Amino acid sequence: DTAVSQTPKYLVTQMGNDKSIKCEQNLGHDTMYWYKQDSKKFLKIMFSYNNKELIINETVPNRFSPKSPDKAHLNLHINSLELGDSAVYFCASSQDSSNYGYTFGSGTRLTVV
Amino acid sequence: GQSLEQPSEVTAVEGAIVQINCTYQTSGFYGLSWYQQHDGGAPTFLSYNALDGLEETGRFSSFLSRSDSYGYLLLQELQMKDSASYFCAVRDRSNQAGTALIFGKGTTLSVSS
């Protein structure tokens, strides 16, 4: 059983389009995250949800909108995609917001052309 | 704010020992963790130090000195499969209600035969 699964694994789309990435965890964790990893492998926190409540919203363009229908799911919707949005997006979860042991999904490689 | 510094690249041969250093600066310190990421893969949790000293887990050990704001990951009996990127991370409180792991820029370890 995959602990943190995200779909799709690859996403190629044109500028201006809207796309979504889905994430689900079956670990029973309370906290979920979205990270963006750029071409230089820098991992940057975007959002964090704890029991469906948004607790971290870093400096991210408002074209990015997370949604957590329940504590096992955290989706990411991106409007009006730009070239600079090309990156690998990782979903992760942890037992709670103070835990250090994150479990990451396999990532979604987004390419905007 | 927070910042973490680690070397960008380290090279070593099979069977050798390598140490990857990390210095950090945070507004509130809750511990230092290490993650491994193979090319094309997801970051995976390796270790966590909340208190000063050395924590050993098999061939990998992690050290922390809170007074020096410094830690390191020690990899012994290197194997080819240890070729990966290694990230140190601290949990920090941004301007938000919660905390999340803030990652260093990663150290690429190349192990040759």
Side-chain angles (χ1 to χ4, degrees), chain B residues 4-101:
Chain B
L4 298 102
E5 296 291 332
Q6 52 182 128
S8 58
E9 291 182 10
V10 174
T11 59
V13 296
E14 275 188 302
I17 299 173
V18 74
Q19 179 174 312
I20 300 174
N21 299 321
C22 174
T23 57
Y24 59 85
Q25 183 177 355
T26 65
S27 53
F29 182 71
Y30 303 94
L32 182 72
S33 62
W34 290 91
Y35 282 75
Q36 178 193 59
Q37 184 181 27
H38 286 99
D39 272 350
T44 57
F45 174 72
L46 289 178
S47 68
Y48 167 61
N49 295 65
L51 302 175
D52 292 351
L54 190 68
E55 295 277 346
E56 298 182 57
T57 310
R59 294 188 298 112
F60 293 4
S61 304
S62 56
F63 172 83
L64 175 66
S65 169
R66 288 174 295 171
S67 59
D68 295 323
S69 297
Y70 163 76
Y72 65 72
L73 180 69
L74 189 73
L75 299 88
Q76 303 181 75
E77 301 171 21
L78 280 173
Q79 302 175 10
M80 298 289 284
K81 67 178 182 179
D82 298 329
S83 293
S85 294
Y86 292 85
F87 296 87
C88 59
V90 293
R91 185 163 62 86
D92 203 357
R93 183 176 297 276
S94 62
N95 296 328
Q96 314 288 325
T99 64
L101 285 183

Side-chain angles (χ1 to χ4, degrees), chain A residues 38-108:
Chain A
D38 62 22
S39 58
K40 295 183 179 178
K41 298 188 179 178
F42 181 48
L43 272 164
K44 183 174 169 55
I45 180 72
M46 299 174 69
F47 303 102
S48 175
Y49 273 74
N50 189 60
N51 273 318
K52 303 191 301 176
E53 298 297 320
L54 180 67
I55 57 172
I56 290 179
N57 181 356
E58 283 298 311
T59 310
V60 175
N62 57 16
R63 298 182 294 104
F64 290 77
S65 51
K67 189 166 288 188
S68 182
D70 55 62
K71 77 171 194 176
H73 295 84
L74 179 61
N75 304 322
L76 183 65
H77 187 76
I78 316 170
N79 288 326
S80 303
L81 277 156
E82 300 177 356
L83 292 176
D85 297 331
S86 295
V88 181
Y89 292 84
F90 284 100
C91 175
S93 72
S94 64
Q95 191 165 358
D96 55 53
S97 60
S98 64
N99 192 270
Y100 263 83
Y102 288 14
T103 302
F104 282 81
S106 58
T108 296

